Amino acid sequence: MSVPVRIAAPTALVFALVLVLSACSATRTKGEGGADKRPATAGHPVAGKADAASGVVLHAERTTPTDIDLRWRGGGSGASGHVLEFATDESGPYTVLQYLPPRVTSYRHPDLIPNTTFFYRLRAFRGPVSKAVSVTLPKGELTAEAENSSHDWLPARKDPKRTVPGRPLRSTGAGAPTGFKATVKHANGILFTWTDRASDEAGFLLEARTRTGSAYEPVVVLDPDVNSTGLITLPAEKEASYRVRAFTYGERSNVVRLTTGESTGP
Amino acid sequence: MLTRFRALTVTGAVCASTFMALPNAVAEVEPGGWTSVSPTFTVQERGCGQVDGLTFQLTCSTASGDQRAERRYATYTGGTRQFEGYFRISSLSGTRISLKQTFNESAAGPYFMLAVERGGRLYAVHGGDTLSNAGTVGATVRVNTVHQVGSSHRTYINGSLQHTYASPGGSFYDKFGAYRTNSGNGPATVVWSNVRFWRK
């Protein structure tokens, strides 16, 4: 049996609430963090931060020459989670690192490209969820027959039969997906279907809580109007609860930037 | 058996807003001494492979023969080369599809192949190492490779070093798109964007 690994909430790191920025050499501009260009050492980490116009304040700290730890606070009430993005050019393109549940407030970006400036930003998302569905998959590994079977159920789809005139998403639950259903396709495959009842969603999030998990985690992000998707599960998901969320994006944090140092690897 | 994981899957245009026109700035990684280059390429369509711009499709589930939709770039010999690109697997009903190759022309064979299997695991075909806990079906994933011919080949996924490989000398070329590996099959649709090359 293989060992399942998944990006998940990294263990929250203990940071000082106030970062000492007097060492920062870069000029701070509105919405953008400064960065100390001096090499970081284990005993002398380098931090970048900025004052955010929104409620989400993002901080970054270079804990080794090529590891950056990010943490954030705020974001207002009712946020369903945050999207963390990075770029190596101030103007982008930005790449999503992860969609994170609201209880997660830190992230480690490890083993980074040396001598390179990284830009990070965070965006809140929010929206109502469907009722949850519990799924228990057949025991054992995928059979050769199942492995070689057609997986045409896997791609996300937009079925007009499960789309109704939508309502704007509200924290009260308006616009939440309904009729959420899971169909087991094989020992590690599930097809999810639901009815799209939102008019202004940025997309849908399929969220899962494993049998031993304490909370739902986003596992799939889908386009607006999508109302079915397949999922290839992990071993830890033999028994899990799933739900789908229609979401919109909220406020964006400040942008922070930090420059990595020389690689210490081989 | 290999480690299995799944990062968050992101489909379609949810993240499209994060993409914008690239400036002419030098944003290469491992900065210092790079010169931007634009190598020529040819388009390769074999079997059920179809190429439309930067969209690469394998339209069949055939698990044999040459099923290929790729760009093959000009051969380079010596020096250090950098590749940067962003890919999004917009659909994958098949499995074990190569996305990006560094091909050893001197040895007449693939030298490094970044591939994806059903469910979203990104791995190196030679050796089978899992490369990423960040990229999966539907997600936009950034890839940088730095190839010092005769020394090493480094692969960064979403900014993090995920694979280092000793490199022989000789002649090589870059390929990307969608290609059925020996144990794989389509269908698959892969969309690449913001592809750039440097040398030094």
Side-chain angles (χ1 to χ4, degrees):
Chain A
M1 175 62 72
S2 58
V3 179
V5 179
R6 177 208 296 247
I7 289 185
T11 304
L13 300 168
V14 179
F15 288 94
L17 284 177
V18 179
L19 296 172
V20 180
L21 296 175
S22 58
C24 288
S25 57
T27 303
R28 286 169 63 180
T29 58
K30 186 177 180 183
E32 190 174 284
D36 190 336
K37 299 294 176 70
R38 295 178 307 168
T41 64
H44 181 77
V46 177
K49 100 178 230 279
D51 298 323
S54 73
V56 190
V57 182
L58 178 63
H59 303 265
E61 183 178 25
R62 205 176 67 197
T63 53
T64 77
T66 54
D67 291 317
I68 291 177
D69 284 348
L70 298 137
R71 62 182 180 87
W72 52 94
R73 58 179 169 80
S77 60
S80 305
H82 294 96
V83 189
L84 180 63
E85 301 173 311
F86 89 99
T88 53
D89 239 357
E90 191 167 2
S91 57
Y94 276 83
T95 301
V96 170
L97 283 170
Q98 196 156 359
Y99 281 69
L100 297 149
R103 63 186 169 79
V104 176
T105 56
S106 65
Y107 183 91
R108 170 162 289 185
H109 200 192
D111 306 317
L112 298 173
I113 304 160
N115 303 311
T116 299
T117 300
F118 283 77
F119 299 83
Y120 297 93
R121 67 188 187 190
L122 199 68
R123 205 170 173 190
F125 64 85
R126 52 177 52 88
V129 291
S130 70
K131 290 181 179 175
V133 170
S134 293
V135 179
T136 301
L137 291 167
K139 288 185 168 68
E141 292 294 310
L142 200 60
T143 64
E145 183 184 10
E147 172 71 39
N148 295 325
S149 66
S150 169
H151 281 70
D152 57 0
W153 49 269
L154 200 50
R157 288 190 168 85
K158 303 174 183 180
D159 183 349
K161 294 176 186 171
R162 290 194 309 278
T163 302
V164 300
R167 300 171 61 187
L169 296 176
R170 296 285 182 270
S171 58
T172 56
T178 60
F180 184 57
K181 181 179 164 188
T183 305
V184 174
K185 302 302 269 188
H186 55 56
N188 65 358
I190 310 170
L191 170 63
F192 295 98
T193 57
W194 61 93
T195 297
D196 170 12
R197 295 188 173 275
S199 62
D200 61 347
E201 77 276 11
F204 291 90
L205 277 170
L206 180 67
E207 301 177 351
R209 187 183 69 196
T210 60
R211 189 170 58 85
T212 56
S214 60
Y216 284 90
E217 306 265 358
V219 293
V220 182
V221 184
L222 299 148
D223 273 354
D225 302 326
V226 165
N227 50 27
S228 82
T229 188
L231 179 73
I232 300 297
T233 60
L234 297 176
E237 294 164 341
K238 282 291 189 183
E239 291 180 53
S241 175
Y242 296 90
R243 65 189 189 186
V244 66
R245 180 189 304 275
F247 74 93
T248 55
Y249 288 110
E251 62 275 16
R252 187 171 278 159
S253 75
N254 54 301
V255 174
V256 293
R257 72 177 176 207
L258 277 176
T259 302
T260 55
E262 288 291 341
S263 173
T264 55
Chain B
M1 185 178 275
L2 298 167
T3 300
R4 283 183 57 206
F5 68 90
R6 183 183 63 243
L8 182 74
T9 302
V10 187
T11 69
V14 168
C15 299
S17 62
T18 66
F19 283 80
M20 56 194 76
L22 279 173
N24 292 325
V26 286
E28 73 280 355
V29 302
E30 298 189 7
W34 293 105
T35 300
S36 179
V37 293
S38 300
T40 58
F41 65 88
T42 57
V43 172
Q44 297 183 336
E45 295 176 322
R46 306 278 191 276
C48 65
Q50 295 183 4
V51 180
D52 179 9
L54 285 168
T55 299
F56 303 84
Q57 281 188 287
L58 300 180
T59 60
C60 64
S61 58
T62 306
S64 61
D66 191 1
Q67 313 298 333
R68 179 194 304 271
E70 290 184 299
R71 279 190 181 185
R72 189 271 203 214
Y73 280 81
T75 300
Y76 60 86
T77 304
T80 302
R81 305 288 168 145
Q82 184 179 158
F83 165 89
E84 177 177 295
Y86 297 75
F87 68 82
R88 179 170 57 81
I89 304 158
S90 57
S91 71
L92 180 63
S93 299
T95 189
R96 298 180 195 133
I97 301 299
S98 174
L99 305 167
K100 199 277 175 182
Q101 298 188 50
T102 305
F103 195 93
N104 186 343
E105 193 170 42
S106 301
Y111 152 69
F112 171 78
M113 295 173 79
L114 169 66
V116 64
E117 68 177 13
R118 184 182 293 133
R121 185 177 73 98
L122 294 171
Y123 66 102
V125 170
H126 301 92
D129 292 349
T130 295
L131 254 72
S132 175
N133 60 357
T136 160
V137 176
T140 296
V141 178
R142 172 175 164 171
V143 181
N144 289 85
T145 60
V146 178
H147 185 197
Q148 292 173 267
V149 177
S151 173
S152 67
H153 182 284
R154 293 183 293 282
T155 304
Y156 296 94
I157 303 292
N158 283 351
S160 293
L161 180 64
Q162 298 292 353
H163 190 261
T164 303
Y165 206 35
S167 171
S171 299
F172 296 82
Y173 55 82
D174 289 301
K175 299 182 86 172
F176 65 83
Y179 167 66
R180 185 192 75 84
T181 66
N182 285 341
S183 59
N185 62 271
T189 302
V190 183
V191 181
W192 281 86
S193 59
N194 295 326
V195 174
R196 298 190 291 180
F197 298 85
W198 294 269
R199 62 183 286 185
K200 67 177 176 181

